[in-house]
Amino acid sequence: LFLDRSDTVDLPIKFSPRYVGCYHCQILLKSSCDVRVYEIECVVNTDNAEAELEFLTPAYQAVIQNIPISNLSSQDWKLEAILEGQGFYGPPLINVGLRETALYPLMFKPIAEC
């Protein structure tokens, strides 16, 4: 059975998520001679956010800034941290449970005046 373009029907769907996360949906379409189930998955991410931190500490003394990471999704997060720049340290991995906020301890320890 082949349908041409004139046999199609638009099915408008409005999706307004409140939080980041993965949303699953099933759409069931029935007629007298056919039943179809469409599964839809929508992944909602936040916009890329940029942040700037300013560290002020004497040379050779470390300062730690705890950065909050909030997981408002419906699944646990396992995040990998990639630190660039001399003198910055932090754990390479951090786990944030669903609906939790974890603190990422970013340390700056200058080896010279800079």
Side-chain angles (χ1 to χ4, degrees), residues 100-111:
E100 291 182 358
T101 297
L103 297 177
Y104 182 82
L106 178 63
M107 180 173 64
F108 177 62
K109 184 174 182 182
I111 57 171

Side-chain angles (χ1 to χ4, degrees), residues 9-15 27 40:
V9 176
D10 288 335
L11 180 64
I13 298 173
K14 182 176 181 180
F15 177 61
I27 298 174
I40 297 175

Side-chain angles (χ1 to χ4, degrees), residues 11-27:
L11 180 64
I13 298 173
K14 182 176 181 180
F15 177 61
S16 302
R18 292 180 141 186
Y19 305 106
V20 299
C22 188
Y23 295 84
H24 300 274
C25 174
Q26 287 187 342
I27 298 174

Side-chain angles (χ1 to χ4, degrees), residues 31-59:
S31 73
S32 59
C33 59
D34 193 12
V35 175
R36 295 179 188 216
V37 176
Y38 293 92
E39 294 191 14
I40 297 175
E41 177 181 284
C42 296
V43 177
V44 178
N45 298 314
T46 59
D47 292 335
N48 290 336
E50 291 187 27
E52 184 176 317
L53 298 175
E54 184 175 327
F55 291 92
L56 183 61
T57 185

Side-chain angles (χ1 to χ4, degrees), residues 45-99:
N45 298 314
T46 59
D47 292 335
N48 290 336
E50 291 187 27
E52 184 176 317
L53 298 175
E54 184 175 327
F55 291 92
L56 183 61
T57 185
Y60 305 107
Q61 292 187 16
V63 61
I64 296 175
Q65 174 70 51
N66 288 313
I67 301 171
I69 300 173
S70 296
N71 179 357
L72 301 177
S73 74
S74 59
Q75 60 190 25
D76 292 340
W77 287 351
K78 184 174 185 177
L79 304 175
E80 178 183 4
I82 300 172
L83 302 177
E84 296 179 359
Q86 190 173 12
F88 290 95
Y89 305 93
L93 297 173
I94 185 169
N95 294 312
V96 185
L98 62 106
R99 310 262 188 251

